[in-house]
């Protein structure tokens, strides 16, 4: 079998001193990441900034929502409206408590969400920083991901257009001119296909679909962006060598996510997965199983009960350090549940066999994502009849590096470039 060539992180291009290429004002040396508190979204922004060579010059800001009580039902609202409504509800509750002369009961809210070291995303603060430091530091790269970050990122672009370059990851559905570049997977445009249009009531299309096909502002990817490339895998292989090198081969890594609104499953899929794993154990040297934070306990309980006593199987208990990078580097093959575009995208960036279970349960654009992967020969369904010792390969997904190239090209059109 021919060796697999993994994507290399984009390296700095050779060039002449800044003074001969537009001066210091045209060079981007730092990045601001606007996150939403969800690892899957923030990892995409961090991955892109890393691929652009600015990992050591990034600052993470976060958009937070109120949480607790009725707030869990209000996540469909725009963040700004959600916060205003939460404030009104709090004042009414406080007034009620005072009238009853009772001690106020603390409520969980967005102020306590996330890491204390992560700054709350504030448009005025970021715009001021970009403007006041422009002459000394040059333009500011702003990378945001997720629906909750759209209003923040677009406002920064509007107020500091001459000082920033704004990249929005995941489709904002309309008004793409609010950003310098939009990076989104191809399946986000599935709602514009004829088969999808038949599934959407006409009165709802404005709220569900992108309002226009992709234009020059849009970079289309196959899957999600992430931080995995050959450099990261080599580092992980070295860091996890003592734990993984002695394991009998082939090593099968099983990544289990959790049901979503467009990929529903429960104990039934857990039982199916367990049966399939029993079918391939004879061809495995070792099996490592990991659950995500979204995995329901009833699902994990089925897997643990079926495999905890098998000497070939190790089930990660969630304790640090997280072996995820070690798994990506040392696995000979992967089994991934169909719900997570991020986990599948990372596994498919290795060029190693990836088997997916539960894809038939996915609907809407996520079904389109799985169809695309199968058509490209990147994944195969997990049936339990596989011989894990028989390897197969494909051109690894290279979405993050390819998106980074598009960002560099867009910057060049504007007369800007990244630091060498």
């Amino acid at each position: 079998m021919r060796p697999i060539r993994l994507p290399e992180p984009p390296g700095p291009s050779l060039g002449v001193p800044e003074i001969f290429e537009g001066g210091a004002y045209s060079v981007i040396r730092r990045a601001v990441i606007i996150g939403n508190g969800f690892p899957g979204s923030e990892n995409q922004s961090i991955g892109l900034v890393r691929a652009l060579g600015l990992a050591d010059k990034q600052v993470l800001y976060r958009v937070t929502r109120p949480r607790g009580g009725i707030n869990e039902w209000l996540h469909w609202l725009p963040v700004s409206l959600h916060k205003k409504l939460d404030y009104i509800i709090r004042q009414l509750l406080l007034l009620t408590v005072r009238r009853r002369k009772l001690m106020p009961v603390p409520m969980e809210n967005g102020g306590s969400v996330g890491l204390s070291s992560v700054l709350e995303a504030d448009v005025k603060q970021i715009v001021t920083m970009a403007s006041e430091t422009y002459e000394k530091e040059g333009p500011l790269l702003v990378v945001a991901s997720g629906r909750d970050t759209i209003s923040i990122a677009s406002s920064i672009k509007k107020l500091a257009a001459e000082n920033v370059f704004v990249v929005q990851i995941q489709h904002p559905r309309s008004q793409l001119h609010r950003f310098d570049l939009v990076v989104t997977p191809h399946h986000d445009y599935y709602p514009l296909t004829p088969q999808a249009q038949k599934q959407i009531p006409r009165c709802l299309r404005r709220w569900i679909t992108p309002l226009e096909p992709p234009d020059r502002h849009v970079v289309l990817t196959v899957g999600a962006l992430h931080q995995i490339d050959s450099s990261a895998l080599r580092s992980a292989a070295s860091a996890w060598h003592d734990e993984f090198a002695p394991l009998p081969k082939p090593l099968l890594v099983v990544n289990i996510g959790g049901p979503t609104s467009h990929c529903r499953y429960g104990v039934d899929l857990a039982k199916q997965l367990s049966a399939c794993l029993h079918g391939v154990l004879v061809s495995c040297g070792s099996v490592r199983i990991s659950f995500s934070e979204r995995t329901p306990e009833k699902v994990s309980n089925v897997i643990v009960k079926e495999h905890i006593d098998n000497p070939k199987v190790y089930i990660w208990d969630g304790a640090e350090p997280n072996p995820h990078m070690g798994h990506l580097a040392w696995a000979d093959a992967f089994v991934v549940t169909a719900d997570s575009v991020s986990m599948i995208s990372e596994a498919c960036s290795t060029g190693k066999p990836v088997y997916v279970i539960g894809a038939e349960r996915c609907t809407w654009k996520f079904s389109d994502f799985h169809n695309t992967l199968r058509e490209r020969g990147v994944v195969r369904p997990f049936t339990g009849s596989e011989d894990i010792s028989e390897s197969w390969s494909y051109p690894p997904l290279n979405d993050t590096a390819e998106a980074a190239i598009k960002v560099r090209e867009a910057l060049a059109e504007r007369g800007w470039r990244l630091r060498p």
Side-chain angles (χ1 to χ4, degrees):
M1 184 177 70
R2 290 181 300 174
I4 300 169
R5 182 175 294 277
L6 294 173
E8 294 283 352
S13 57
L14 297 177
V16 296
E18 294 172 6
I19 191 171
F20 299 113
E21 291 194 356
Y25 299 165
S26 68
V27 180
I28 292 181
R29 302 180 180 84
R30 67 250 166 88
V32 160
I33 294 173
I34 311 295
N36 61 0
F38 293 95
S41 292
E42 293 184 355
N43 189 47
Q44 296 197 63
S45 297
I46 295 170
L48 180 58
V49 169
R50 179 180 183 275
L52 293 169
L54 296 175
D56 61 331
K57 288 292 184 179
Q58 66 182 35
V59 178
L60 173 62
Y61 292 81
R62 184 169 287 161
V63 178
T64 57
R65 284 181 176 272
R67 292 190 179 182
I70 194 175
N71 287 305
E72 302 306 317
W73 298 90
L74 300 177
H75 283 190
W76 56 275
L77 290 172
V79 176
S80 57
L81 180 57
H82 187 180
K83 288 184 174 181
K84 290 177 182 178
L85 184 58
D86 175 68
Y87 175 79
I88 293 173
I89 293 173
R90 283 171 160 285
Q91 295 304 309
L92 291 174
L93 288 174
L94 184 61
L95 181 60
T96 302
V97 167
R98 285 176 176 172
R99 285 180 176 177
R100 294 179 180 179
K101 298 182 179 180
L102 298 175
M103 291 296 292
V105 179
M107 292 179 60
E108 184 182 359
N109 62 78
S112 60
V113 175
L115 303 174
S116 59
S117 59
V118 178
L119 301 171
E120 175 73 20
D122 182 276
V123 172
K124 291 183 179 179
Q125 179 183 357
I126 296 172
V127 166
T128 300
M129 182 262 289
S131 302
E132 292 181 351
T133 62
Y134 177 75
E135 291 189 8
K136 181 179 179 181
E137 299 289 341
L140 177 68
L141 177 67
V142 178
V143 181
S145 180
R147 180 171 62 91
D148 286 351
T149 68
I150 290 173
S151 61
I152 299 291
S154 60
S155 296
I156 293 172
K157 167 68 176 174
K158 180 179 180 180
L159 297 174
E162 299 301 316
N163 308 122
V164 299
F165 189 91
V166 179
V167 180
Q168 180 70 37
I169 301 174
Q170 297 180 342
H171 204 289
R173 289 198 174 92
S174 64
Q175 299 180 329
L176 304 187
H177 64 274
R178 293 178 292 170
F179 313 94
D180 292 293
L181 212 60
V182 172
V183 180
T184 193
H186 191 274
H187 61 257
D188 270 0
Y189 280 93
Y190 171 75
L192 292 182
T193 62
Q195 60 267 36
Q197 290 287 302
K198 294 177 182 178
Q199 303 173 44
I200 312 170
R202 185 174 295 276
C203 61
L204 297 180
R205 290 178 186 175
R206 180 173 180 270
W207 306 101
I208 295 177
T209 69
L211 297 185
E212 61 267 342
D215 60 13
R216 63 187 303 273
H217 287 91
V218 180
V219 176
L220 294 179
T221 64
V222 176
L225 306 188
H226 49 74
Q227 301 183 58
I228 310 305
D229 55 32
S230 60
S231 175
L233 292 176
R234 284 194 295 268
S235 297
S238 176
W240 290 91
H241 176 273
D242 292 347
E243 181 166 344
F244 287 98
L247 295 178
K249 295 288 188 174
L251 169 60
L252 176 66
V253 167
V254 182
N255 290 328
I256 302 171
T260 66
S261 58
H262 291 291
C263 195
R264 299 183 182 277
Y265 62 83
V267 172
D268 53 344
L269 186 68
K271 291 179 178 179
Q272 179 187 345
L273 175 57
S274 289
C276 290
L277 287 175
H278 280 301
V280 301
L281 276 174
V282 66
S283 64
C284 294
S286 309
V287 177
R288 307 259 310 192
I289 300 175
S290 291
F291 303 106
S292 79
E293 295 180 351
R294 297 186 298 106
T295 308
E297 187 175 356
K298 60 183 180 181
V299 170
S300 59
N301 285 345
V302 170
I303 303 297
V304 171
K305 181 180 179 181
E306 286 291 324
H307 300 284
I308 190 65
D309 294 325
N310 192 306
K312 283 188 175 184
V313 178
Y314 172 85
I315 301 176
W316 180 50
D317 61 4
E320 293 294 339
N322 189 329
H324 181 62
M325 288 300 299
H327 286 168
L328 290 171
W330 282 94
D332 295 294
F334 301 91
V335 171
V336 189
T337 54
D339 54 276
S340 177
V341 175
S342 295
M343 288 196 303
I344 293 172
S345 298
E346 288 180 341
C348 291
S349 71
T350 67
K352 303 172 185 178
V354 178
Y355 300 97
V356 175
I357 187 165
E360 70 283 355
R361 301 164 186 259
C362 293
T363 60
W364 197 233
K365 63 181 182 180
F366 300 99
S367 177
D368 187 58
F369 167 66
H370 288 289
N371 289 336
T372 298
L373 293 183
R374 285 194 299 271
E375 290 169 1
R376 292 169 64 114
V378 176
V379 303
R380 297 179 183 178
F382 186 49
T383 64
S385 61
E386 294 81 5
D387 183 346
I388 302 302
S389 64
E390 293 183 1
S391 185
W392 48 275
S393 63
Y394 49 87
L397 293 189
N398 198 16
D399 286 327
T400 308
E402 292 172 359
I405 290 172
K406 294 297 184 181
V407 172
R408 290 176 183 273
E409 292 175 351
L411 287 171
E413 290 182 6
R414 188 164 172 176
W416 291 356
R417 63 185 178 89
L418 294 160
R419 67 178 187 184

